Amino acid sequence: MAYETLIVEQHGAVTLVTLNRPKALNALNAQVLADLEAAFAAFEADAGQGCLVLTGSEKAFAAGADIKEMQPQGFAEMYGPDKFAGYDRMLRATSKPWIAAVSGYALGGGCELAMMADYILAADTAKFGQPEITLGTAPGMGGSQRLTRAVGKAKAMQMCLTGRMMGAEEAERAGLVAEIVPAAKLIETALAQAATIAGLGPLAVKANKELVNAAFETSLSEGVRFERRMFFGLAASQDKQEGMAAFIEKRKPSWTGK
Ligand code: DAK
Protein backbone atom coordinates (compact mmCIF):
# COMPACT_ATOMS: atom_id res chain seq x y z
CA MET A 1 0.00 0.00 0.00
CA ALA A 2 1.23 3.53 -0.82
CA TYR A 3 1.04 6.29 1.77
CA GLU A 4 1.07 10.03 1.19
CA THR A 5 3.37 10.86 4.12
CA LEU A 6 5.18 7.60 4.88
CA ILE A 7 7.52 5.18 3.18
CA VAL A 8 6.84 1.62 4.34
CA GLU A 9 9.20 -1.25 3.55
CA GLN A 10 9.46 -4.79 4.77
CA HIS A 11 12.90 -6.15 5.65
CA GLY A 12 12.22 -9.82 6.31
CA ALA A 13 10.00 -9.90 9.41
CA VAL A 14 10.64 -6.22 10.19
CA THR A 15 8.51 -3.32 8.99
CA LEU A 16 10.41 -0.06 8.48
CA VAL A 17 8.19 3.02 8.50
CA THR A 18 9.84 6.32 7.51
CA LEU A 19 8.06 9.63 8.10
CA ASN A 20 8.27 11.48 4.81
CA ARG A 21 7.33 15.18 4.95
CA PRO A 22 10.86 16.54 4.51
CA LYS A 23 9.81 20.13 3.72
CA ALA A 24 8.00 20.39 7.08
CA LEU A 25 10.63 18.42 9.05
CA ASN A 26 8.07 15.61 9.33
CA ALA A 27 5.57 17.76 11.23
CA LEU A 28 2.63 15.61 12.26
CA ASN A 29 -0.60 16.62 10.55
CA ALA A 30 -3.92 14.80 10.14
CA GLN A 31 -2.64 12.91 7.07
CA VAL A 32 0.46 11.62 8.91
CA LEU A 33 -1.74 10.30 11.70
CA ALA A 34 -4.15 8.63 9.26
CA ASP A 35 -1.20 7.04 7.45
CA LEU A 36 0.45 5.91 10.70
CA GLU A 37 -2.78 4.36 11.95
CA ALA A 38 -3.13 2.43 8.69
CA ALA A 39 0.53 1.34 8.57
CA PHE A 40 0.52 0.15 12.18
CA ALA A 41 -2.78 -1.70 11.65
CA ALA A 42 -1.30 -3.46 8.58
CA PHE A 43 1.80 -4.39 10.60
CA GLU A 44 -0.30 -5.73 13.48
CA ALA A 45 -2.47 -7.80 11.13
CA ASP A 46 0.47 -9.34 9.25
CA ALA A 47 1.52 -12.55 11.01
CA GLY A 48 4.78 -12.50 9.03
CA GLN A 49 5.89 -9.23 10.68
CA GLY A 50 7.32 -9.32 14.19
CA CYS A 51 8.72 -5.86 14.93
CA LEU A 52 8.44 -2.35 13.50
CA VAL A 53 10.96 0.48 13.30
CA LEU A 54 9.64 4.04 13.01
CA THR A 55 12.11 6.65 11.83
CA GLY A 56 12.30 10.08 10.22
CA SER A 57 15.02 11.87 8.29
CA GLU A 58 18.59 12.58 9.27
CA LYS A 59 17.59 16.14 10.24
CA ALA A 60 14.30 15.42 11.98
CA PHE A 61 12.47 12.45 13.41
CA ALA A 62 9.55 14.90 13.67
CA ALA A 63 9.61 18.60 14.62
CA GLY A 64 6.24 18.38 16.33
CA ALA A 65 2.60 18.61 15.48
CA ASP A 66 2.01 20.73 12.39
CA ILE A 67 1.87 24.28 13.74
CA LYS A 68 0.44 25.63 10.47
CA GLU A 69 -2.45 23.14 10.66
CA MET A 70 -3.08 23.83 14.37
CA GLN A 71 -2.77 27.62 14.39
CA PRO A 72 -6.37 28.35 13.25
CA GLN A 73 -7.92 25.48 15.21
CA GLY A 74 -9.84 26.31 18.39
CA PHE A 75 -11.67 24.23 20.98
CA ALA A 76 -14.46 23.11 18.65
CA GLU A 77 -12.08 22.04 15.87
CA MET A 78 -9.96 20.01 18.31
CA TYR A 79 -12.39 18.73 20.95
CA GLY A 80 -15.10 17.99 18.36
CA PRO A 81 -13.16 15.40 16.34
CA ASP A 82 -10.94 14.56 19.36
CA LYS A 83 -7.83 15.63 17.45
CA PHE A 84 -4.94 13.17 17.68
CA ALA A 85 -6.95 10.55 19.62
CA GLY A 86 -5.80 8.26 16.81
CA TYR A 87 -2.41 7.93 18.51
CA ASP A 88 -4.09 6.34 21.54
CA ARG A 89 -6.06 4.02 19.25
CA MET A 90 -2.85 3.10 17.43
CA LEU A 91 -1.02 2.31 20.67
CA ARG A 92 -3.85 0.21 22.10
CA ALA A 93 -4.14 -1.75 18.85
CA THR A 94 -0.42 -2.57 18.57
CA SER A 95 0.57 -5.59 20.63
CA LYS A 96 3.81 -6.23 18.75
CA PRO A 97 6.94 -4.24 19.63
CA TRP A 98 8.12 -1.16 17.81
CA ILE A 99 11.26 0.92 18.10
CA ALA A 100 11.60 4.65 17.46
CA ALA A 101 14.91 5.30 15.66
CA VAL A 102 15.49 9.01 16.25
CA SER A 103 17.93 11.18 14.35
CA GLY A 104 17.86 15.00 14.65
CA TYR A 105 14.86 16.83 16.09
CA ALA A 106 12.18 15.01 18.08
CA LEU A 107 10.21 17.97 19.39
CA GLY A 108 6.72 18.40 20.82
CA GLY A 109 4.48 15.78 19.24
CA GLY A 110 7.63 14.27 17.67
CA CYS A 111 9.14 13.65 21.08
CA GLU A 112 5.78 12.36 22.28
CA LEU A 113 5.50 9.98 19.32
CA ALA A 114 9.03 8.65 20.00
CA MET A 115 8.14 8.14 23.67
CA MET A 116 5.12 6.03 22.65
CA ALA A 117 7.55 3.45 21.20
CA ASP A 118 8.59 0.41 23.20
CA TYR A 119 12.01 1.96 23.25
CA ILE A 120 13.99 4.73 21.60
CA LEU A 121 17.25 4.19 19.78
CA ALA A 122 18.96 7.55 19.29
CA ALA A 123 21.49 8.77 16.77
CA ASP A 124 24.22 10.90 18.32
CA THR A 125 22.52 13.86 16.59
CA ALA A 126 19.16 13.37 18.32
CA LYS A 127 17.58 16.31 20.14
CA PHE A 128 14.49 15.87 22.28
CA GLY A 129 12.25 18.62 23.59
CA GLN A 130 8.75 19.72 24.59
CA PRO A 131 8.81 23.33 23.37
CA GLU A 132 5.01 23.80 23.35
CA ILE A 133 5.29 26.44 26.06
CA THR A 134 7.09 28.71 23.59
CA LEU A 135 3.94 28.54 21.42
CA GLY A 136 1.70 29.47 24.33
CA THR A 137 0.50 25.94 24.92
CA ALA A 138 1.52 22.65 26.58
CA PRO A 139 2.16 19.02 25.59
CA GLY A 140 -1.02 17.24 24.47
CA MET A 141 0.06 13.75 23.39
CA GLY A 142 1.46 12.45 26.65
CA GLY A 143 4.69 14.47 26.83
CA SER A 144 4.23 15.81 30.35
CA GLN A 145 3.45 12.31 31.59
CA ARG A 146 5.82 10.04 29.63
CA LEU A 147 8.79 12.42 29.80
CA THR A 148 8.35 12.74 33.57
CA ARG A 149 8.22 8.97 33.99
CA ALA A 150 11.29 8.55 31.77
CA VAL A 151 13.61 11.28 33.09
CA GLY A 152 12.08 12.29 36.44
CA LYS A 153 10.41 15.48 37.60
CA ALA A 154 13.41 17.83 37.65
CA LYS A 155 14.44 17.45 34.01
CA ALA A 156 10.88 17.06 32.70
CA MET A 157 9.72 20.16 34.54
CA GLN A 158 12.73 22.16 33.37
CA MET A 159 12.24 21.05 29.75
CA CYS A 160 8.48 21.73 29.73
CA LEU A 161 8.87 25.10 31.47
CA THR A 162 11.76 26.40 29.37
CA GLY A 163 11.31 24.49 26.12
CA ARG A 164 15.00 23.58 26.07
CA MET A 165 16.21 20.60 24.08
CA MET A 166 18.05 17.59 25.47
CA GLY A 167 20.82 16.04 23.39
CA ALA A 168 21.37 12.32 22.88
CA GLU A 169 23.98 11.87 25.60
CA GLU A 170 21.91 13.59 28.25
CA ALA A 171 18.85 11.64 27.08
CA GLU A 172 20.69 8.35 27.50
CA ARG A 173 22.02 9.34 30.93
CA ALA A 174 18.52 10.34 32.00
CA GLY A 175 16.93 7.08 30.80
CA LEU A 176 14.93 8.46 27.88
CA VAL A 177 16.76 6.40 25.25
CA ALA A 178 17.99 2.83 25.32
CA GLU A 179 21.19 3.40 23.38
CA ILE A 180 23.03 5.95 21.25
CA VAL A 181 24.53 4.96 17.91
CA PRO A 182 26.40 6.98 15.27
CA ALA A 183 23.86 8.61 12.94
CA ALA A 184 25.16 6.69 9.92
CA LYS A 185 24.48 3.38 11.69
CA LEU A 186 21.05 4.23 13.10
CA ILE A 187 18.79 2.39 10.67
CA GLU A 188 21.11 -0.59 10.31
CA THR A 189 21.27 -0.96 14.11
CA ALA A 190 17.53 -0.50 14.59
CA LEU A 191 16.76 -3.06 11.88
CA ALA A 192 19.20 -5.55 13.42
CA GLN A 193 17.66 -5.18 16.89
CA ALA A 194 14.16 -5.41 15.42
CA ALA A 195 15.15 -8.58 13.53
CA THR A 196 16.42 -10.11 16.78
CA ILE A 197 13.05 -9.40 18.42
CA ALA A 198 11.10 -10.64 15.39
CA GLY A 199 13.11 -13.89 15.49
CA LEU A 200 11.99 -14.74 19.03
CA GLY A 201 8.85 -16.58 20.09
CA PRO A 202 5.89 -14.26 19.39
CA LEU A 203 3.96 -15.16 22.56
CA ALA A 204 6.97 -14.44 24.75
CA VAL A 205 7.64 -11.19 22.90
CA LYS A 206 4.04 -10.07 23.38
CA ALA A 207 4.13 -11.05 27.06
CA ASN A 208 7.41 -9.23 27.74
CA LYS A 209 6.07 -6.04 26.16
CA GLU A 210 2.85 -6.27 28.16
CA LEU A 211 4.76 -6.90 31.39
CA VAL A 212 7.14 -3.96 31.12
CA ASN A 213 4.26 -1.66 30.16
CA ALA A 214 2.28 -2.90 33.17
CA ALA A 215 4.98 -1.39 35.41
CA PHE A 216 3.65 2.06 34.45
CA GLU A 217 0.04 1.29 35.32
CA THR A 218 0.14 -0.83 38.49
CA SER A 219 1.52 -0.89 42.04
CA LEU A 220 4.69 -2.96 42.57
CA SER A 221 2.90 -5.81 44.33
CA GLU A 222 0.15 -5.98 41.66
CA GLY A 223 2.77 -5.82 38.91
CA VAL A 224 4.83 -8.62 40.41
CA ARG A 225 1.67 -10.71 40.85
CA PHE A 226 0.73 -10.07 37.22
CA GLU A 227 4.26 -11.05 36.14
CA ARG A 228 4.09 -14.35 38.03
CA ARG A 229 0.69 -15.16 36.51
CA MET A 230 2.04 -14.38 33.04
CA PHE A 231 5.03 -16.63 33.70
CA PHE A 232 2.67 -19.48 34.67
CA GLY A 233 0.60 -18.83 31.56
CA LEU A 234 3.66 -19.00 29.32
CA ALA A 235 4.54 -22.33 30.92
CA ALA A 236 1.53 -23.72 29.06
CA SER A 237 2.90 -22.66 25.67
CA GLN A 238 4.63 -24.98 23.22
CA ASP A 239 7.27 -22.29 22.71
CA LYS A 240 8.32 -22.47 26.37
CA GLN A 241 8.73 -26.27 26.13
CA GLU A 242 10.63 -25.82 22.88
CA GLY A 243 12.86 -23.02 24.20
CA MET A 244 13.96 -24.97 27.23
CA ALA A 245 14.32 -28.26 25.32
CA ALA A 246 16.46 -26.51 22.71
CA PHE A 247 18.72 -25.12 25.45
CA ILE A 248 19.17 -28.57 27.00
CA GLU A 249 19.72 -30.22 23.60
CA LYS A 250 22.17 -27.47 22.57
CA ARG A 251 20.29 -26.52 19.38
CA LYS A 252 18.42 -23.50 18.03
CA PRO A 253 14.74 -23.34 19.03
CA SER A 254 12.06 -23.48 16.41
CA TRP A 255 9.18 -21.21 17.45
CA THR A 256 5.58 -21.92 16.48
CA GLY A 257 3.84 -19.09 18.33
CA LYS A 258 1.74 -21.67 20.17
N1 DAK B 1 4.95 22.46 12.13
C1 DAK B 1 4.89 22.93 10.88
N2 DAK B 1 5.98 23.24 10.14
C2 DAK B 1 7.18 23.07 10.71
C3 DAK B 1 7.32 22.59 12.03
C4 DAK B 1 6.13 22.28 12.75
N3 DAK B 1 6.16 21.76 13.99
N4 DAK B 1 8.63 22.55 12.31
C5 DAK B 1 9.28 22.97 11.22
N5 DAK B 1 8.42 23.29 10.25
C6 DAK B 1 8.70 23.80 8.92
C7 DAK B 1 9.12 25.27 8.96
O1 DAK B 1 8.02 26.11 9.03
C8 DAK B 1 9.89 25.39 7.67
O2 DAK B 1 8.96 25.51 6.63
P1 DAK B 1 9.07 26.72 5.54
O3 DAK B 1 9.10 27.97 6.33
O4 DAK B 1 10.35 26.44 4.82
O5 DAK B 1 7.85 26.54 4.69
C9 DAK B 1 10.55 24.03 7.53
O6 DAK B 1 9.82 23.13 8.36
C10 DAK B 1 11.99 24.01 7.99
O7 DAK B 1 12.03 24.54 9.30
P2 DAK B 1 13.04 25.69 9.75
O8 DAK B 1 13.34 26.60 8.62
O9 DAK B 1 12.48 26.28 10.98
O10 DAK B 1 14.35 24.82 10.06
P3 DAK B 1 15.51 25.16 11.08
O11 DAK B 1 16.58 24.18 10.81
O12 DAK B 1 15.86 26.62 11.04
O13 DAK B 1 14.89 24.90 12.54
C11 DAK B 1 13.61 23.63 14.17
C12 DAK B 1 14.55 23.59 12.91
C13 DAK B 1 13.12 22.21 14.44
C14 DAK B 1 14.44 24.11 15.38
C15 DAK B 1 12.44 24.62 13.91
O14 DAK B 1 11.84 24.27 12.67
C16 DAK B 1 11.40 24.60 14.99
O15 DAK B 1 11.58 25.17 16.07
N6 DAK B 1 10.24 23.96 14.69
C17 DAK B 1 9.09 23.94 15.59
C18 DAK B 1 9.34 23.04 16.75
C19 DAK B 1 8.17 23.03 17.71
O16 DAK B 1 7.81 24.08 18.30
N7 DAK B 1 7.52 21.87 17.88
C20 DAK B 1 6.39 21.74 18.75
C21 DAK B 1 5.14 21.94 17.92
S1 DAK B 1 3.69 21.97 18.94
C22 DAK B 1 -2.46 17.71 20.47
C23 DAK B 1 -1.46 16.96 21.01
C24 DAK B 1 -0.15 17.32 20.79
C25 DAK B 1 0.17 18.44 20.07
C26 DAK B 1 -0.84 19.17 19.53
C27 DAK B 1 -2.16 18.81 19.74
N8 DAK B 1 -3.83 17.33 20.72
C28 DAK B 1 -4.16 16.27 21.63
C29 DAK B 1 -4.88 17.97 20.05
C30 DAK B 1 1.56 18.76 19.87
C31 DAK B 1 1.98 20.04 19.67
C32 DAK B 1 3.31 20.32 19.14
O17 DAK B 1 4.06 19.45 18.79
Side-chain angles (χ1 to χ4, degrees):
M1 178 165 166
Y3 298 92
E4 205 175 310
T5 63
L6 307 176
I7 299 167
V8 178
E9 300 157 348
Q10 291 188 347
H11 295 252
V14 174
T15 302
L16 175 64
V17 178
T18 306
L19 296 163
N20 188 33
R21 288 191 77 208
K23 288 189 186 139
L25 302 185
N26 292 329
L28 308 168
N29 63 7
Q31 188 60 48
V32 174
L33 175 55
D35 287 352
L36 279 173
E37 268 202 272
F40 272 68
F43 159 67
E44 182 72 14
D46 187 340
Q49 296 296 290
C51 192
L52 181 149
V53 173
L54 177 65
T55 196
S57 68
E58 218 178 298
K59 177 165 178 182
F61 176 75
D66 191 316
I67 299 167
K68 292 167 191 165
E69 181 181 80
M70 274 187 305
Q71 194 273 335
Q73 294 177 335
F75 178 79
E77 291 77 21
M78 293 204 188
Y79 184 60
D82 205 358
K83 185 177 168 74
F84 286 169
Y87 287 107
D88 288 332
R89 285 197 296 273
M90 185 178 108
L91 277 191
R92 275 198 303 273
T94 308
S95 69
K96 298 182 209 173
W98 62 284
I99 301 167
V102 175
S103 178
Y105 297 111
L107 302 178
C111 185
E112 293 170 309
L113 177 58
M115 290 191 293
M116 289 177 200
D118 293 303
Y119 67 88
I120 300 174
L121 199 62
D124 46 11
T125 57
K127 291 178 214 61
F128 301 89
Q130 297 292 159
E132 291 88 343
I133 197 162
T134 65
L135 301 168
T137 182
M141 269 161 56
S144 62
Q145 305 304 300
R146 290 196 178 93
L147 186 64
T148 307
R149 280 164 171 76
V151 306
K153 178 181 168 184
K155 277 188 191 290
M157 190 66 94
Q158 184 197 40
M159 288 171 72
C160 288
L161 285 179
T162 66
R164 83 161 174 96
M165 294 181 210
M166 181 190 262
E169 278 188 22
E170 184 184 1
E172 190 192 28
R173 265 200 319 275
L176 180 61
V177 312
E179 189 184 343
I180 305 174
V181 294
K185 297 251 177 216
L186 179 68
I187 301 302
E188 181 188 326
T189 310
L191 288 176
Q193 292 185 13
T196 298
I197 294 167
L200 293 164
L203 290 178
V205 168
K206 183 173 172 169
N208 275 275
K209 168 169 170 158
E210 202 179 339
L211 284 170
V212 175
N213 281 333
F216 292 92
E217 308 288 348
T218 57
S219 66
L220 179 60
S221 57
E222 270 310 302
V224 169
R225 210 172 90 87
F226 177 53
E227 182 190 83
R228 214 165 46 245
R229 294 288 177 269
M230 184 72 91
F231 191 89
F232 297 154
L234 288 169
S237 71
Q238 287 175 18
D239 279 351
K240 175 260 175 190
Q241 309 303 344
E242 167 65 8
M244 293 197 181
F247 174 82
I248 293 164
E249 293 158 20
K250 301 188 188 301
R251 59 173 173 82
K252 277 184 91 174
S254 169
W255 309 117
T256 58
K258 297 217 169 106

